């Protein structure tokens, strides 16, 4: 099932233009209060892998997990499928301990509602604006896969259930 889902993700997302204005490393820098667009673009061009999303090194994905919160719609469209395929194909790489696992961080980034915070929901909808049609459908399949598969943390499973119960992932 996991290989089939990885292939479905690859087909649904296809080739996506690299977000040269703000990649993963720049998004992490934003977490450190860096907001200058030129600095962010330079960080992206110097540190990020600029090929196809399916070739982004897993080390970049794992080392830049905090950047997920700062990616815009172009960044989410490019990096989300890379993260999903990496988590499906290499779940052990995301596992740190019973107390903390990176798989929950990824699933949290797919959660459209958090404590009924309207600002959070609006930001999520802006980030996920390009995740529509087949892309959105395969994301729902991914969340369902995480919910059911034994390779993922309790936190990731609970967050995937919460995401799947949301109106956002239930519709469209």
């Amino acid at each position: 099932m996991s290989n089939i889902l990885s292939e479905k993700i690859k087909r649904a997302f296809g080739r996506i233009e690299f977000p040269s204005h703000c990649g993963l490393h720049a998004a992490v820098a934003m977490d450190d209060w860096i907001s200058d667009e030129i600095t962010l673009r330079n960080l992206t061009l110097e540190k990020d892998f600029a090929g196809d999303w399916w070739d982004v090194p897993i080390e970049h994905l794992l080392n830049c997990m905090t950047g997920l919160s700062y990616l815009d719609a172009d960044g989410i469209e490019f990096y989300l499928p890379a993260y999903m395929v990496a988590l499906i194909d290499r779940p052990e790489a995301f596992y740190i301990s019973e107390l903390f696992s990176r798989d929950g961080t990824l699933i949290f980034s797919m959660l459209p509602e958090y404590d009924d915070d309207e600002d959070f929901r609006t930001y999520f909808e802006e980030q996920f604006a390009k995740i529509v049609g087949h892309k959105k459908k395969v994301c729902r399949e991914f969340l369902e896969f995480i919910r059911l598969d034994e390779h993922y943390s309790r936190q990731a499973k609970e967050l995937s259930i919460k995401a799947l119960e949301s109106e956002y992932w239930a519709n469209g």
Side-chain angles (χ1 to χ4, degrees):
M1 171 62 182
S2 61
N3 288 343
I4 294 169
L5 183 55
S6 290
E7 287 303 315
K8 284 177 90 170
I9 292 167
K10 288 177 185 174
R11 280 193 311 274
F13 279 83
R15 277 199 146 65
I16 305 291
E17 187 175 333
F18 175 70
S20 60
H21 65 287
C22 183
L24 279 178
H25 288 86
V28 170
M30 291 170 76
D31 189 41
D32 292 330
W33 300 97
I34 295 172
S35 60
D36 178 68
E37 290 180 15
I38 294 170
T39 302
L40 295 174
R41 181 180 298 274
N42 288 339
L43 277 170
T44 298
L45 297 175
E46 291 169 13
K47 293 190 173 192
D48 281 305
F49 175 80
D52 291 315
W53 63 260
W54 53 81
D55 289 327
V56 174
I58 194 164
E59 295 78 21
H60 287 213
L61 299 173
L62 294 172
N63 292 332
C64 297
M65 295 292 295
T66 59
L68 283 166
S69 298
Y70 298 93
L71 293 171
D72 62 9
D74 292 330
I76 288 292
E77 184 184 34
F78 184 83
Y79 287 108
L80 182 63
Y83 273 106
M84 291 191 303
V85 169
L87 184 55
I88 291 167
D89 294 346
R90 303 250 331 259
E92 74 286 350
F94 288 79
Y95 182 81
I96 296 174
S97 72
E98 264 322 296
L99 298 175
F100 179 75
S101 189
R102 295 180 195 135
D103 59 357
T105 302
L106 173 59
I107 306 306
F108 182 80
S109 74
M110 297 176 76
L111 192 63
E113 297 152 351
Y114 186 71
D115 291 341
D116 296 323
D117 184 330
E118 191 60 35
D119 291 336
F120 186 91
R121 182 172 178 78
T122 299
Y123 183 68
F124 173 88
E125 288 174 354
E126 290 169 1
Q127 280 188 298
F128 280 72
K130 293 187 171 193
I131 308 302
V132 295
H134 293 298
K135 294 174 187 174
K136 190 171 183 181
K137 182 178 185 286
V138 80
C139 287
R140 281 194 309 262
E141 290 180 41
F142 168 79
L143 290 167
E144 186 67 29
F145 176 81
I146 298 299
R147 182 183 76 82
L148 296 172
D149 194 279
E150 74 275 359
H151 292 99
Y152 303 102
S153 71
R154 188 180 86 245
Q155 178 193 30
K157 290 175 173 298
E158 290 170 0
L159 289 169
S160 66
I161 290 167
K162 191 172 181 178
L164 287 163
E165 290 172 347
S166 74
E167 183 180 318
Y168 180 85
W169 290 113
N171 295 321

